[in-house]
Each structure stands twice: as structure tokens, then as C-alpha cells.
Amino acid sequence: MSLPYRQIGEATRGPTRGGIVCVSDHASNQVPDGIDLLIDEALMDEHIGVDIGVEGIAEEMAANHGIPAFLATVSRLVVDLHREEDHPGVVPQTSDGHVIHGNLGVDVEERLSSIYRPYHEAMAKWLDKRDPALIISLHSFTPKLATSDEPRPWEVAFLYNQDDRAARLAIQFFAEEGFTVGDNEPYSGRQLNATMNRHAEPFGRPYLATEIRQDLIASRAGQKHWAGLLAKVASRVAQELG
């Protein structure tokens, strides 16, 4: 199987230490050869299969804003890289009301050993080489879940667990730009922050666990616009944190 991640935006002279970087666990809707999820293929292009828009934002930030990225190349429906290994949904059997038939009774350990662990081991090495001043953990969210009647209120939102330094600043800066922004709903980083809990909080690395509303970034124009916004705010946050 090909690698479950790719790296973009690297300088030819090698990694720059102390800058801003981006990671995205749900950037791809690809399913490796030999795995059949046994669901309607159209679902792979919806939010249950991929975080819509984030790959384009990461590519734009890498190409035009000097922010290198570490991106997943496997769909969250194959194995959810933004869950702990022992999380019951690390290989999801259902997602937003859809049964993932190909994951029923699957060998979870095989998915962890072949995809999940190589991904996180490589990310750890990638971050160690860069010692970033700020990590953008990039996600997107659907305006309303199929299993809920409640609209999700924000245009952009942030999650955090114990370390809220960067998130608080980003919320302030986006509010100053006129956006509807705040702590993410309906779940917070104290419930769902697996990748930053693993790669940021234990090392004192400031991070922005970012959720952008998908309808705002479904097009290339939207992705380019939000890449600029996010790069601008992240730069302000990094400067403020010193």
C-alpha cells in the first residue's frame, strides 16, 4: 500500500524550524486497494468520507503562504486518524446515520498497524524536525448533521483541550474580522482532540484545531480565500505568542 500521508510545501534547503505548519487528518477520501467499505461511492465525497475543502486550503497555504503541510491520504471511513487507538469509532461502523458495512467485523488491529500507526509515527518525526511555533490542525464541518435538527452556528470554530493559548487569540482575531466564531459545537476539544493531544499538548506546542464550515470552502475560490484568512490569523497568533 502507498503511504497513508503526504508532505507538501517543503523548502528545497530542508525543513524550517520554528515556523507555522499544518496537519490534516481528514484531507482525503481515498480507499486503499483491497478494502471495500460496501457503501454508496457518492458518500465518499460527502462529509462522512472527507473534510470537504481542507486539502485545497492546505495546498494553497503551502504554495503561497509558506506553511508546509502533512496530509492524510486515506479516508476517515477506512480508519479515523483523529481518534485514539482504543476509541470505539477508530474504524467507524456507522457515520451520521450510514452503516459502513465493510467495517463490520473488520480486523481493527490490521488497520491500525498498516495505516494509523505509520501515519502518526511519521507525523511525530515531521514535527520534531520542524519544532513549530504553531500547528494548524485543519478540519471542516457540515452546517447541519443528518442526524440532528440543530444548525451549527459558526463560520469558523476552534477546539482545545488544556492548552487554549492559540485558540483564544484566533477567536479574538477572527471576531475582529467580522466572522461568527467561537468554541466549536456540538463537541469541544476536551471530547475530541486526539491528534493535538498526542502531538502538541505533551510538548507545549501551541496549536489551532480549526473547523471551517464546508459550504464556505467547497470551491477553489473559497479555499484560496480561507487559506489567506487562516494564514493571516495564524501569523498574528504566532507573533502574539512570541
Side-chain angles (χ1 to χ4, degrees), residues 12-27:
T12 56
R13 65 183 181 276
T16 300
R17 296 181 66 83
I20 301 170
V21 301
C22 175
V23 302
S24 189
D25 303 317
H26 298 153

Side-chain angles (χ1 to χ4, degrees), residues 15 43 45 52 64 97 158 170 181 183 199 219-220:
L43 291 173
D45 293 323
I52 294 166
N64 296 312
F158 294 90
V181 58
D183 291 354
H199 295 288
S219 69
R220 284 298 301 167

Side-chain angles (χ1 to χ4, degrees), residues 209-229:
T210 308
E211 293 267 8
I212 303 172
R213 208 175 70 207
Q214 289 169 354
D215 59 310
L216 301 175
I217 55 174
S219 69
R220 284 298 301 167
Q223 292 158 19
K224 183 174 182 177
H225 178 65
W226 275 87
L229 286 171

